[in-house]
Amino acid sequence: MTLWRTLTNGFYTENPIFRISLGMCPFLALSTSVQNAIGMGAAATFVLVWSNAAISALRNVIPDKIRIPCYIVFIATFVSLVDMVMAAYAPPLHKALGIYIPLIVVNCIILGRAEAFANKNTVAASLMDGIGMGIGFTLAMALMATIRELLGNGTWYGVNILGRDFANQPVLIAILPPGAFILMGFVLGGFAIIDRRKGRAA
Amino acid sequence: MSPAILISSIVSSGSTGGGSGFAQIMGLVIGGILINNFVLSRFLGICPFLGVSKQLDSAVGMGAAVVFVMAMAGTMCFALWELLLVPLGLQYLSTIVFILVIAALVQLVEMILLKYSPALYKALGIYLPLITTNCAVLGVAVINKDAGYDLLHSVVNAVAGALGFCLALILMAGLRERLEYSDVPAALRGKPITFILAGVMSIAFLGFAGLGV
């Protein structure tokens, strides 16, 4: 597989959210606004890229039996870095993302890619995989956040799109917790329909 | 009421408010189990919630294991934070320390169960290692730390959160067993309908916000 294929793999064919259903917690919790979604996506992508690279570089050194604790330490280190950098340079975003920043450590996407990809592949390929998966995660979050923010607040990235009348009486449930679950169900249903159409055409 | 205020009043972790002593503890318990349910309103522990809720038996096993580990993790993380990290000025290491403690704890629980209660170990076997990556466990440690709870409140918060997780998981498993026999539109079969079901449950739990503890 070429590096380009490795990169684009995460966008759609193996999208971590819609295809493999990993990393649901921050996805559902922080897709309330596009700002939060992109902030979370960027933080997770950073951790994913560097932990993939580090684990791949050391894949022949880490003993097989204790590899999971080793991966977790790598991931936790990068998460602490992101946490501190964000607290210093983007305090409002840091506050909005709250406990979901330390929780990137237990985001299954990152451990999943370390186990499924980085410990078998070269550093270059693992970097590409990390970037691809990170972008896939960010795109998925942005898509969901667009739907939820438009319906629930009438805005996109904080800018009013649907007019003041709608913003005064929005579909509030879209940005409340139940909206996340229900809209996710329909989005997944939409993907299932697209897949079936594609299957029929092919 | 404007949307923003309504949301903040529902989503904020306002369960610690009002009263002192016993009232505050009760507030934490009701808040953890019903109002700020870990799964349905804080989105912690979604992966096991969706993964292990296919059958009632396994849901009960997973729930029990999580209650045990979360109570232990709440206590241990509190002790390490108060006795080690704060005195040494190492607060920035909290994430790394907490996750290592949880991983070690899960391993320990596994070994103890294997030695003293092989039957229980066999029942929980496959679910135990999964608990390490259950974000509810790390989540409760971080929430306790951020809220500055003392030992009693930390443990109560951890157990209440775990019971809330348990409740949501077991309810969901019961619903999904029924779902097997229902006629779901083709596109929504499998994961999509599970999410929608969770959403409907979440609406029901949203109603508990009116308890206003």
Side-chain angles (χ1 to χ4, degrees):
Chain A
M1 201 168 6
T2 61
L3 287 182
W4 178 248
R5 280 291 301 276
T6 312
L7 178 70
T8 52
N9 201 21
F11 295 175
Y12 185 81
T13 31
E14 270 188 48
N15 188 296
I17 294 290
F18 295 126
R19 297 293 166 181
I20 328 184
S21 292
L22 292 176
M24 278 298 152
C25 306
F27 173 75
L28 293 173
L30 293 172
S31 53
T32 47
S33 77
V34 179
Q35 278 127 315
N36 286 354
I38 290 176
M40 185 67 213
T45 306
F46 176 86
V47 176
L48 191 53
V49 169
W50 293 115
S51 71
N52 252 8
I55 287 164
S56 170
L58 294 172
R59 67 185 186 282
N60 296 323
V61 183
I62 300 173
D64 210 35
K65 270 194 175 156
I66 54 160
R67 63 184 194 285
I68 302 284
C70 292
Y71 298 165
I72 290 182
V73 174
F74 277 120
I75 297 168
T77 310
F78 288 115
V79 169
S80 301
L81 272 179
V82 170
D83 195 5
M84 285 187 275
V85 169
M86 216 179 245
Y89 294 104
L93 186 64
H94 185 259
K95 209 169 167 229
L97 301 187
I99 66 162
Y100 295 99
I101 299 175
L103 287 182
I104 298 175
V105 178
V106 282
N107 189 322
C108 336
I109 298 175
I110 296 168
L111 199 58
R113 292 324 288 175
E115 179 74 7
F117 196 92
N119 71 353
K120 305 187 188 72
N121 289 284
T122 60
V123 177
S126 302
L127 268 175
M128 283 298 162
D129 181 70
I131 296 171
M133 284 288 158
I135 292 176
F137 177 67
T138 313
L139 282 178
M141 280 208 73
L143 171 70
M144 191 66 177
T146 302
I147 299 173
R148 287 182 72 191
E149 198 185 337
L150 270 180
L151 284 176
N153 212 14
T155 58
W156 192 84
Y157 209 86
V159 180
N160 194 320
I161 302 281
L162 297 179
R164 272 190 53 210
D165 290 339
F166 186 86
N168 285 336
Q169 280 297 351
V171 190
L172 197 53
I173 192 147
I175 46 175
L176 290 176
F181 286 114
I182 294 174
L183 288 171
M184 181 64 186
F186 284 117
V187 170
L188 282 179
F191 274 102
I193 291 173
I194 293 173
D195 276 359
R196 214 143 29 104
R197 291 257 164 85
K198 264 192 178 166
R200 220 172 270 163
Chain B
M1 198 162 26
S2 88
I5 297 171
L6 183 64
I7 289 159
S8 66
S9 69
I10 291 171
V11 177
S12 77
S13 52
S15 55
T16 53
S20 60
F22 185 69
Q24 211 178 358
I25 299 285
M26 278 313 286
L28 269 183
V29 172
I30 306 265
I33 297 176
L34 299 176
I35 305 171
N36 290 312
N37 188 288
F38 265 51
V39 177
L40 297 169
S41 93
R42 278 175 171 161
F43 303 110
L44 298 174
I46 301 285
C47 301
F49 174 67
L50 295 174
V52 196
S53 60
K54 278 194 188 121
Q55 279 165 358
L56 204 52
D57 308 347
S58 47
V60 173
M62 179 72 176
V66 166
V67 172
F68 188 66
V69 172
M70 264 173 85
M72 298 272 287
T75 321
M76 295 285 288
C77 289
F78 172 80
L80 277 172
W81 173 253
E82 288 290 319
L83 302 176
L84 194 68
L85 295 180
V86 174
L88 294 179
L90 293 174
Q91 285 93 335
Y92 63 91
L93 285 181
S94 61
T95 310
I96 300 179
V97 170
F98 287 174
I99 190 68
L100 284 178
V101 167
I102 291 165
L105 202 62
V106 171
Q107 200 84 54
L108 191 72
V109 169
E110 221 176 313
M111 290 194 297
I112 293 175
L113 278 184
L114 183 62
K115 185 146 175 21
Y116 292 103
S117 174
L120 189 60
Y121 176 79
K122 228 179 161 190
L124 300 180
I126 35 171
Y127 305 113
L128 275 170
L130 287 179
I131 298 175
T132 311
T133 49
N134 182 339
C135 37
V137 183
L138 182 60
V140 85
V142 176
I143 290 171
N144 283 341
K145 181 201 81 177
D146 287 348
Y149 290 147
D150 59 11
L151 180 61
L152 180 64
H153 286 85
S154 295
V155 175
V156 169
N157 192 28
V159 173
L163 288 175
F165 173 81
C166 231
L167 178 68
L169 185 67
I170 290 170
L171 285 176
M172 191 66 181
L175 287 173
R176 278 179 83 173
E177 282 193 347
R178 290 282 183 99
L179 202 62
E180 292 285 304
Y181 304 105
S182 53
D183 187 20
V184 179
L188 293 181
R189 259 173 225 156
K191 259 183 237 152
I193 193 70
T194 313
F195 273 103
I196 294 172
L197 204 55
V200 175
M201 271 171 73
S202 179
I203 294 179
F205 274 72
L206 204 57
F208 289 118
L211 281 174
V213 186

